[in-house]
Amino acid sequence: MKNFLSGLKAQKDQQRRAEINKSLIHYEAKLGGELFGPVAEGGRREFFCLDEHTWVWHEEWIDGATGQRRALTTRYDVRPSGILKSQGGNSYQRLSPTEAKNFYRVVELYDQKVRGEYARMLQTA
Amino acid sequence: MNPFNRLMSNKLTGGNPGNEQPPKNGEFADGIRARYATVERAVQNVRNERHMNGGDPAEQAPAEPTYAVPAQPVRQPAGEQFQPAVTYPAARAAEVPTNRASEVRYNDPEAVQTDALAQAKAQVAAAYAGTDREDYGLAA
């Protein structure tokens, strides 16, 4: 019975840690989305680090021609041999030099922004 | 409650405070540290990739080469070819001085002295050539 209860508590703690981690990712996604400048009205942008090797950029906007809502998720896989991106169901492709330059730049900005934000939170937490 | 705690509380309670206990401060701190450790490794992986794959593409072709050409030739052991310490582009390689006589002149103090003396002697000899004045043996 004791083992069962401690197992249940461990499971609950793990679930709670996962929830906190997920919420932090959502929070970073919002911060990351602000790094690219203003978002068009009705649009939404998120950019975040998913894990040690993956970054995600999600953009939603209203198509001016059709008035329909569109969304595009780009996933960047960082590998020692280079950075590959995939969009939707498309296969992976290498970044163009300009895109790679922008990616490096935004990752550094993300790091600065998130580090500063977390340091501030840890002071008040 | 700070903005982050409020955010977390909303996230964990589905925006309805009271549904669930908001996370304790210690949990936030641990969660933030764990999460930032992941971000830090991810950022480092990007930097490593950038370094391994030639850096920033915009920095790959500078308008002017940034390598330094030695101010004076470097003395090499006899029989060995001049090898610059850094790799020079082929177009610039020809500009690297390889004159062995210069190397000796610049780098061997004894050779410099001997050379200076020989030059002085030659100048004196030239100055007194065709005259009756004594050269005090300098030109000898």
Side-chain angles (χ1 to χ4, degrees):
Chain A
M1 183 68 176
K2 197 178 171 186
N3 278 351
F4 173 74
L5 286 176
S6 65
L8 207 62
K9 186 182 180 305
Q11 195 182 349
K12 200 177 172 187
D13 286 349
Q14 195 181 353
Q15 207 173 358
R16 199 146 174 91
R17 279 197 296 272
E19 278 291 328
I20 290 174
N21 191 54
K22 198 171 150 188
S23 298
L24 288 168
I25 292 176
H26 278 294
Y27 186 59
E28 285 177 27
K30 188 175 164 291
L31 293 176
E34 293 166 1
L35 299 174
F36 297 85
V39 181
E41 203 180 320
R44 188 164 78 101
R45 182 183 295 144
E46 290 184 340
F47 177 77
F48 61 96
C49 162
L50 183 66
D51 59 38
E52 289 176 35
H53 300 281
T54 318
W55 295 77
V56 176
W57 174 31
H58 178 80
E59 182 98 22
E60 288 176 23
W61 70 100
I62 307 287
D63 190 328
T66 62
Q68 282 188 320
R69 191 168 188 82
R70 296 197 180 276
L72 182 65
T73 302
T74 307
R75 180 191 163 111
Y76 297 94
D77 274 17
V78 180
R79 303 178 184 183
S81 57
I83 300 172
L84 300 176
K85 75 166 182 179
S86 70
Q87 290 178 319
N90 296 339
S91 57
Y92 283 97
Q93 61 186 95
R94 285 197 174 277
L95 302 192
S96 71
T98 308
E99 198 173 1
K101 187 185 166 195
N102 291 342
F103 181 76
Y104 295 142
R105 174 93 181 115
V106 81
V107 164
E108 292 297 337
L109 290 173
Y110 184 95
D111 183 40
Q112 284 172 25
K113 181 93 178 172
V114 166
R115 195 188 327 136
E117 202 64 23
Y118 283 164
R120 190 182 62 76
M121 287 172 183
L122 283 171
Q123 280 180 344
T124 56
Chain B
M1 191 183 283
N2 71 35
F4 178 66
N5 287 11
R6 193 161 52 244
L7 173 88
M8 290 297 292
S9 177
N10 286 343
K11 285 283 179 193
L12 296 175
T13 60
N16 297 313
N19 275 2
E20 196 176 326
Q21 283 288 313
K24 296 184 188 87
N25 282 348
E27 281 183 307
F28 283 138
D30 290 347
I32 288 169
R33 287 190 196 99
R35 173 61 191 161
Y36 186 64
T38 304
V39 173
E40 213 169 16
R41 285 193 295 272
V43 171
Q44 195 53 50
N45 283 335
V46 172
R47 287 181 187 145
N48 290 345
E49 185 281 337
R50 182 180 184 179
H51 179 71
M52 285 175 71
N53 293 290
D56 191 327
E59 292 167 4
Q60 284 177 9
E64 285 295 321
T66 52
Y67 53 80
V69 175
Q72 61 185 39
V74 180
R75 191 177 189 189
Q76 295 292 309
E80 281 188 24
Q81 282 202 322
F82 181 83
Q83 290 292 334
V86 292
T87 306
Y88 294 86
R92 282 285 183 133
E95 293 180 21
V96 179
T98 55
N99 187 325
R100 241 167 239 294
S102 300
E103 288 172 32
V104 174
R105 184 169 294 137
Y106 283 114
N107 292 286
D108 187 341
E110 215 171 284
V112 171
Q113 282 176 13
T114 310
D115 193 54
L117 185 59
Q119 277 185 26
K121 282 180 181 177
Q123 283 170 9
V124 171
Y128 287 94
T131 70
D132 295 327
R133 295 180 64 176
E134 288 285 335
D135 65 13
Y136 303 104
L138 281 171

